[in-house]
Amino acid sequence: MTAKTNKLNLFDFTMIVVSLVIGMGIFRTPLNVAKASPDTFMFFMTWLAGGVVALCGALTYAEIGSRLPVTGGYYKVFSYAYHPSVAFAINCVILVSNAASLAGVAMVGGEYITAIFIPLSKDAAWIKDAANAAYIQNIHIVIAITAILIFYGVNLAGLKMSAKTQNILTIIKIILVLLLIAPLFFADNSTAVQQHISSVSPTFKEYIKAFGVGLVAVSFTYGGYQQTINFGAEVDWPARNVPRGIFFGISIIILLYLTINYAYIKVIGFDTLHLPETKNIAAIMASKIFGANAEKILSGFLFLSVLAYVNVLLMSNPRVMYAMSEDNILPAVFKQRNSKTDVLTVSLSAFAAICILIVFWAKEFDRILSFAIFLDCFGMILSAATIFILRKRTKHLDETGIYKMKVFPVLPLVFIAAYVFVAISIALDYENNHHAALTGLAVMAVFTGLYFLFPTKKHNTDVTKT
């Protein structure tokens, strides 16, 4: 007889993985990838490469989560493998990056839901007017903040409530993606895949640059699964369910992403994706097949996808703050839990406040894309590299039934190399992204310095006993 627990089962955890990854990125970033790609071959190769990198990373994090199944695992791994100062700096950077991603995605959701009332395909001159554009942007900000506040309240109600809400929203999100794939079966045979052809064949160097720029957007779209190790101690049978949940979740995502991108190319056309005025591509695709009403309905569903992403980040990130407080780096107040719901009230409130503040700064999705990914590169590279340290320090766990990746060290090395390439691509794209790279480095330096200003220097790095 098994007792009921308040922990997440395999289905709950798999749905969290899917929700962490499938935000609004797939409904926006294909535009960025298409504009960076000289042809459809590079477009699909970039998405396929991103899927391979995500799978390598997912399996690497699966083993990390199995070896250190602790609440706030992302922070705990840094602290245990490196030094608490590195853990503090990287996790503060990651919290800022996650909050920025949430803000940017919420703004994209605002674009879609606003299109229900102000169709972007109509009154183009009115929309381009500076005053009207500012008015629309303010609507986006209000919608984004409202979404954050709603799911701040949901998460205050407790983990099981937020997990059940997440399951429902994730199922809606998957149905939405399947609806976007449906036009493949309804499009008539006259629909052609447009091929963007430059008058001059791209050089090898230009292909590499295009791949790097495209991979920035693809990395954002596939990113998020690494946060699942923050739930390590709250998953039932973590040694079994953490790796399975990540593997199943990423496999679902890769299949959906490749298929939906093929649908974009077939129905909308590659050349159309290159146009500066092309926005809200998912709604455009629906309208081409099912008419203007379908565009409005799909825009509503897309906003529900935003809610799922907002909810899961509000679930995950307060646990990092808890772990940092438990290690005496953040004040003890961040460990405070509600006695009835067991919710990390202070950490949740603080993260929600950061998200709301960033909404005012972010304003547009494209503005924060490179900045968020450049910050993520620090965390991705350093966290994946901990597997080499953990394998040595937790060798005694090898025969205890924990998950161990089959192809080691190839998988983590591929993952690390990919994110080094992404970071270099952002830094070298000086004209567009130099502020993102320089600001990211400055943020990292500031947080490292702040660590040493905290009076408490006692750290609990022996997380294997947690």
Side-chain angles (χ1 to χ4, degrees):
M1 183 175 67
T2 59
K4 292 184 177 180
T5 69
N6 197 40
K7 292 191 173 184
L8 303 171
N9 58 34
L10 178 59
F11 180 76
D12 291 334
F13 190 60
T14 301
M15 290 298 98
I16 287 174
V17 173
V18 174
S19 285
L20 280 168
V21 177
I22 304 181
M24 290 296 290
I26 191 59
F27 311 124
R28 175 64 179 269
T29 56
L31 286 175
N32 301 74
V33 182
K35 290 173 182 176
S37 303
D39 50 41
T40 53
F41 173 78
M42 179 56 68
F43 178 83
F44 284 111
M45 282 300 297
T46 304
W47 283 101
L48 181 61
V52 172
V53 171
L55 187 57
C56 290
L59 295 175
T60 299
Y61 284 109
E63 181 168 340
I64 292 172
S66 291
R67 289 182 180 276
L68 292 175
V70 292
T71 300
Y74 207 28
Y75 168 75
K76 291 285 190 176
V77 168
F78 285 132
S79 185
Y80 176 68
Y82 301 124
H83 185 271
S85 63
V86 176
F88 174 79
I90 290 293
N91 278 272
C92 286
V93 165
I94 290 171
L95 287 170
V96 172
S97 175
N98 290 341
S101 297
L102 189 155
V105 167
M107 293 300 294
V108 174
E111 292 177 6
Y112 271 101
I113 202 69
T114 302
I116 295 178
F117 310 102
I118 309 176
L120 298 181
S121 58
K122 300 179 180 180
D123 301 321
W126 183 88
I127 293 173
K128 289 181 180 179
D129 180 79
N132 294 330
Y135 169 72
I136 293 173
Q137 189 175 74
N138 288 335
I139 294 177
H140 297 165
I141 292 174
V142 171
I143 292 172
I145 292 176
T146 300
I148 293 171
L149 290 175
I150 289 173
F151 284 92
Y152 167 68
V154 169
N155 278 270
L156 281 178
L159 178 64
K160 290 302 291 184
M161 172 63 74
S162 55
K164 289 178 181 178
T165 303
Q166 195 64 35
N167 291 344
I168 295 171
L169 292 174
T170 302
I171 291 171
I172 291 174
K173 185 185 297 184
I174 293 174
I175 292 173
L176 171 62
V177 173
L178 293 176
L179 287 174
L180 292 178
I181 294 171
L184 286 172
F185 305 99
F186 290 93
D188 58 46
N189 294 329
S190 63
T191 302
V193 178
Q194 301 167 14
Q195 172 67 60
H196 178 75
I197 302 177
S198 175
S199 57
V200 180
S201 299
T203 64
F204 178 76
K205 182 178 180 181
E206 289 172 333
Y207 265 116
I208 294 298
K209 180 180 179 181
F211 180 67
V213 173
L215 199 58
V216 173
V218 169
S219 298
F220 178 87
T221 315
Y222 275 110
Y225 56 84
Q226 68 278 7
Q227 293 185 58
T228 53
I229 62 175
N230 291 333
F231 296 91
E234 298 183 66
V235 177
D236 192 25
W237 289 18
R240 183 191 70 172
N241 288 338
V242 168
R244 287 186 178 184
I246 291 178
F247 182 82
F248 293 152
I250 293 296
S251 297
I252 292 170
I253 292 158
I254 291 175
L255 179 62
L256 292 176
Y257 277 7
L258 291 177
T259 307
I260 196 172
N261 274 290
Y262 177 71
Y264 285 142
I265 295 296
K266 179 172 176 57
V267 177
I268 298 177
F270 190 67
D271 282 350
T272 304
L273 294 179
H274 273 258
L275 298 176
E277 62 270 21
T278 301
K279 302 288 182 182
N280 297 2
I281 51 177
I284 290 173
M285 187 166 69
S287 67
K288 280 182 172 290
I289 303 299
F290 303 113
N293 289 332
E295 179 179 351
K296 294 182 178 181
I297 293 172
L298 200 63
S299 293
F301 274 108
L302 283 160
F303 183 65
L304 291 179
S305 293
V306 169
L307 301 186
Y309 187 79
V310 169
N311 183 55
V312 78
L313 284 191
L314 287 172
M315 287 174 64
S316 173
N317 286 275
R319 287 161 173 77
V320 177
M321 295 181 172
Y322 172 87
M324 295 171 74
S325 177
E326 190 176 46
D327 210 33
N328 294 321
I329 291 180
L330 287 182
V333 69
F334 286 96
K335 291 190 294 185
Q336 183 174 317
R337 292 180 181 267
N338 184 290
S339 58
K340 294 182 179 179
T341 62
D342 203 35
V343 172
L344 299 167
T345 51
V346 175
S347 294
L348 175 62
S349 299
F351 184 74
I354 294 171
C355 294
I356 291 173
L357 290 174
I358 291 179
V359 165
F360 291 102
W361 170 81
K363 298 186 186 301
E364 297 178 356
F365 173 77
D366 289 337
R367 183 178 180 184
I368 65 170
L369 176 61
S370 295
F371 175 70
I373 291 299
F374 190 79
L375 291 180
D376 276 347
C377 286
F378 288 110
M380 294 292 197
I381 294 167
L382 290 175
S383 59
T386 63
I387 190 61
F388 299 99
I389 299 172
L390 294 178
R391 279 218 168 191
K392 293 181 178 180
R393 294 187 183 178
T394 61
K395 192 173 182 179
H396 59 283
L397 299 176
D398 288 353
E399 306 302 325
T400 61
I402 66 166
Y403 168 73
K404 288 181 63 179
M405 69 183 84
K406 300 296 183 181
V407 187
F408 181 87
V410 175
L411 297 185
L413 288 177
V414 168
F415 182 75
I416 291 169
Y419 271 92
V420 169
F421 178 66
V422 168
I424 293 173
S425 297
I426 294 173
L428 292 181
D429 191 9
Y430 188 83
E431 182 179 351
N432 299 314
N433 299 321
H434 66 288
H435 290 303
L438 292 176
T439 304
L441 291 172
V443 168
M444 181 68 182
V446 168
F447 281 126
T448 302
L450 284 176
Y451 167 82
F452 294 101
L453 296 179
F454 281 91
T456 302
K457 294 294 191 297
K458 182 180 179 181
H459 310 292
N460 304 314
T461 57
D462 189 6
V463 297
T464 59
K465 296 181 179 179
T466 303

